[in-house]
Amino acid sequence: MLIKHEIARLVADATARALEEGDLPPLALPEVTVEHPAREEHGDYAASLPMKLARAARSDPLAVAEAIARHIRPSDAIAEVVVAPPGFINFRLGDAWLARQIDAILAQGERFGDVPLGQDQRFQVEFVSANPVGPLHVGNGRGLAIGDTLASVLAAAGYAVEREYLVNDAGTQTETFASTLYARYQQLFGREVDIPEGGYPGHYVVELAEELKAEQGEAFLRPPGEPWPPELHDVGVAKMLAIIRNDLAAIGVNYDAWFNEKSLYTAAGPYERAMELLREKGVVTEKEGAIWFTSSALGEDKDNVLVRSTGSPTYFASDIAYHYDKFLLRGFQRVIDVWGADHQGHVPRMQAAVAALGVDPERLDIIVYQLVTLRRGAEIVRLSKRTGEMITLGEVVEEVGADACRFFFLARSADSHMDFDLELAKEQSAENPVYYVQYAHARIAGILGHAAEEGVEYADGDLALLTHPAELALIRKMLLLPEVVEAVALTLEPHHLPHYALELATVFHDFYEKCRVVSDDLPLSKARLKLVAACRATLARTLGLMGVSAPVRM
RNA sequence: GCCCCUGUAGCUCAAGCGGACAGAGCGGCUGCCUUCUAAGCAGCUGGCUGCAGGUUCGAGUCCUGCCAGGGGCACCA
């Protein structure tokens, strides 16, 4: 159990005893939590419970704090319990206990940070899922960093997590894409055709057409004026998808599943079954030749079309079928979808649809991240796939580096609108926060390498020798990792991770300046080697959760 | 017009469920390498948390109104 929870329990138990013995008047006990005081002199943890109870106890918060504090049982972890105005109970961890935690961290190695929140419940995180009609852009990068890290953190929190990419290969967009590709293809054979209305003007389609011509010659050519051959759709989508997968690989994402939208539409498949279920639930109606989800009766602004009057299903219907598949067919306990803000209007009706399928909407979390503005200095670069000019994620990764990209995307909360200034990202590459963290890891690797060269074995190091404030500060910070993992898993806000990484690196660099590790003092050297070995594991785990590399040399 | 997000230092952003004196990085200025990595450290500079009310023992955080910016309101996805 995390020390944070142990302390909260000590406070709860003490309060219960104070109530039993009449030191406090009868009152209902709220959930007890502890927090980290902002100021160091207030200790490691603080309980503000007395201030919350003061009114019900009709007493002074300070008196309540003292009544509770009197009943706190001693713990070997806690060196000091202090009551402080206006009504806090402050706890300070003991130096010896802190030092002993190093062995616990070393024993866990790079599993340190795991937290027993889940018991292997199956979770799915679906992210990016960009339509295979163009290369990934910077906004996709943000979704990628958020989704991938969330998946890693949830796995560390004890859930069985699957990463999934939905390939939208059944909608009108890939049809338009195929038309565009065919137009470009024909142009290569000297035909004067324009790309279709609403098509994709980007140069990459020309490149794909050239590739097609080089590989297949005129095999896809039809007489002028005739529609493109049906095979072209899948061939084109496959080529686009290959480019996307390549970009994803460059930034280091590994999906467990690639789900084809088309597979929803097999006979008696998810689409048909989901629609049937909605009909059974009585949330479907027909009007103006189309089939509608009667979401306005469920508190929504308006109804939404499921099947167009042409008979083809909308994106909304497709997504309902997809979530039917996730929840009812594959049985995920919880599904986390990571969407860009341009889809936020889709959130309430999706939640309503999931509820209509009989699934507790609490099981569906939709993380909406705000859009990214890409700029070069003062010049704003448009993100739209529909304009010819765009900077792809692949190009950004090449320019800025995968590690810096991920860290940058991750460091801002999903709710914040972010600017990605390429000029700045490049200029700052040496001053980038990610290198600050990685440098701490590389420094430790250097120290451990140096110790090995000097033949210093430290397995028997005596941790009791670690008493320097910088050493203890480092241990304190390391012990926070499980708390951060727990917080991220609970709030689904991965931006806490890079901020923690920065704090940990700061405390390490401070320690490094103040404490020489390998010195003439062999016992102290051994103890400090244990300390930095544990710190290396903590840094590596933190970086690993973010998908950022932990270099041994820089 | 309605809905979602945001407004915190010159810039980019933090601030777990409301807690003690709002923090980092970058920028600017000043110092520190015969030593395990100077991609580092120490110090200085910097704030009416958009504005006005309200709730509370306590508000950057919650509520209401206003102002400003981004996004969304299709038989597109």
Side-chain angles (χ1 to χ4, degrees):
Chain A
M1 179 155 61
L2 297 183
I3 184 67
K4 172 187 173 178
H5 296 144
E6 275 181 42
I7 292 174
R9 172 167 293 189
L10 285 177
V11 173
D13 289 350
T15 309
R17 275 195 300 279
L19 286 167
E20 261 170 45
E21 295 179 20
D23 288 352
L24 288 175
L27 44 78
L29 194 58
E31 197 198 343
V32 178
T33 57
V34 292
E35 59 218 47
H36 293 281
R39 299 175 68 81
E40 205 186 315
E41 60 262 35
H42 292 142
D44 293 294
Y45 293 91
S48 55
L49 182 72
M51 288 178 284
K52 295 185 172 94
L53 294 183
R55 177 181 288 262
R58 275 174 303 174
S59 169
D60 175 44
L62 215 50
V64 175
E66 267 153 13
I68 295 171
R70 267 199 301 281
H71 289 88
I72 290 173
R73 295 211 164 107
S75 153
D76 67 338
I78 295 161
E80 199 178 64
V81 179
V82 179
V83 169
F88 289 101
I89 305 175
N90 294 332
F91 298 82
R92 185 174 298 281
L93 298 170
D95 293 357
W97 180 85
L98 281 168
R100 282 201 301 277
Q101 302 315 303
I102 295 296
D103 274 335
I105 295 172
L106 288 173
Q108 293 175 74
E110 293 197 7
R111 292 202 61 96
F112 172 63
D114 278 3
V115 115
L117 221 51
Q119 283 93 38
D120 286 323
Q121 292 98 326
R122 291 178 58 232
F123 277 26
Q124 184 207 57
V125 184
E126 183 219 325
F127 55 100
V128 184
S129 299
N131 291 342
V133 296
L136 298 178
H137 54 74
V138 188
N140 296 131
R142 188 173 194 186
L144 176 158
I146 291 171
D148 197 35
T149 298
L150 233 28
S152 296
V153 170
L154 288 167
Y159 300 100
V161 182
E162 290 182 34
R163 293 168 169 82
E164 182 155 303
Y165 189 117
L166 168 68
V167 181
N168 287 101
D169 55 359
T172 54
Q173 293 213 1
T174 50
E175 295 290 317
T176 308
F177 169 72
S179 300
T180 309
L181 179 58
Y182 188 57
R184 294 299 196 194
Y185 181 69
Q186 291 182 92
Q187 285 169 2
L188 296 177
F189 292 94
R191 290 185 186 172
E192 299 217 350
V193 290
D194 292 327
I195 61 167
E197 189 80 13
Y200 300 90
H203 189 255
Y204 62 92
V205 188
V206 177
E207 287 169 25
L208 287 181
E210 281 166 353
E211 213 178 291
L212 215 54
K213 186 186 175 189
E215 291 168 3
Q216 306 279 339
E218 50 178 56
F220 289 106
L221 216 53
R222 289 287 174 279
E226 280 190 25
W228 42 272
E231 318 87 78
L232 188 71
H233 176 275
D234 289 359
V235 171
V237 166
K239 281 191 176 298
M240 203 59 248
L241 205 53
I243 292 171
I244 289 172
R245 293 179 86 132
N246 192 49
D247 284 351
L248 289 170
I251 200 165
V253 187
N254 287 305
Y255 281 97
D256 300 296
W258 295 76
F259 191 95
N260 289 103
E261 185 187 8
K262 269 189 180 173
S263 70
L264 296 168
Y265 294 99
T266 54
Y271 171 73
E272 288 181 13
R273 294 171 68 174
M275 291 306 123
E276 183 51 39
L277 183 54
L278 290 181
R279 266 190 291 273
E280 279 172 22
K281 301 277 187 182
V283 294
V284 171
T285 189
E286 197 171 335
K287 62 187 177 197
E288 297 155 20
I291 296 171
W292 300 69
F293 176 54
T294 56
S295 33
S296 61
L298 304 168
E300 284 295 294
D301 292 349
K302 54 180 171 24
D303 292 346
N304 294 99
V305 173
L306 292 169
V307 185
R308 302 182 183 93
S309 46
T310 61
S312 68
T314 61
Y315 161 78
F316 181 42
S318 200
D319 231 10
I320 292 174
Y322 183 36
H323 285 79
Y324 176 91
D325 186 88
K326 292 183 185 200
F327 286 111
L328 282 311
L329 265 25
R330 285 190 278 169
F332 287 109
Q333 263 89 3
R334 201 155 157 222
V335 167
I336 294 153
D337 294 342
V338 181
W339 295 352
D342 52 339
H343 286 68
Q344 35 127 310
H346 187 54
V347 173
R349 63 170 176 263
M350 197 62 231
Q351 295 282 12
V354 163
L357 290 173
V359 174
D360 180 356
E362 293 278 306
R363 290 167 61 195
L364 174 64
D365 283 286
I366 301 175
I367 310 293
V368 172
Y369 61 88
Q370 297 302 312
L371 267 24
V372 180
T373 306
L374 186 66
R375 62 191 338 156
R376 282 190 183 279
E379 179 202 355
I380 291 176
V381 187
R382 294 286 302 161
L383 284 180
S384 172
K385 270 178 197 167
R386 294 177 186 278
T387 67
E389 295 292 315
M390 68 172 290
I391 294 185
T392 68
L393 179 62
E395 287 163 347
V396 173
V397 169
E398 200 165 317
E399 228 176 282
V400 180
D403 287 341
C405 267
R406 291 181 84 124
F407 198 92
F408 188 86
F409 282 130
L410 228 40
R412 277 102 181 130
S413 84
D415 284 339
S416 84
H417 307 267
M418 66 180 279
D419 276 7
F420 196 124
D421 186 338
L422 282 165
E423 245 168 51
L424 210 65
K426 264 200 315 189
E427 264 176 34
Q428 291 184 352
S429 62
E431 289 296 325
N432 200 302
V434 69
Y435 298 108
Y436 181 82
V437 179
Q438 289 179 316
Y439 186 58
H441 184 270
R443 266 186 156 174
I444 296 175
I447 294 169
L448 294 174
H450 176 74
E453 275 170 30
E454 302 282 313
V456 184
E457 284 286 335
Y458 57 89
D460 61 343
D462 180 8
L463 294 170
L465 297 173
L466 300 176
T467 56
H468 191 285
E471 294 167 335
L472 297 169
L474 184 54
I475 299 170
R476 284 186 158 94
K477 197 57 84 174
M478 289 190 275
L479 292 177
L480 244 41
L481 177 61
E483 288 185 21
V484 173
V485 169
E486 188 182 73
V488 171
L490 253 21
T491 61
L492 304 180
E493 291 174 354
H495 70 273
H496 298 296
L497 219 40
H499 288 278
Y500 168 71
L502 242 20
E503 287 174 18
L504 179 59
T506 300
V507 178
F508 169 75
H509 287 308
D510 180 62
F511 158 80
Y512 181 89
E513 293 296 321
K514 290 175 176 154
C515 302
R516 170 95 196 166
V517 177
V518 180
S519 68
D520 296 340
D521 185 341
L522 187 60
L524 184 61
S525 297
K526 288 180 173 185
R528 286 183 171 167
L529 281 165
K530 275 187 146 182
L531 173 65
V532 298
C535 184
R536 196 205 64 76
T538 309
L539 279 165
R541 186 70 199 281
T542 306
L543 288 166
L545 288 170
M546 296 189 286
V548 175
S549 67
V552 175
R553 207 174 302 113
M554 283 176 77

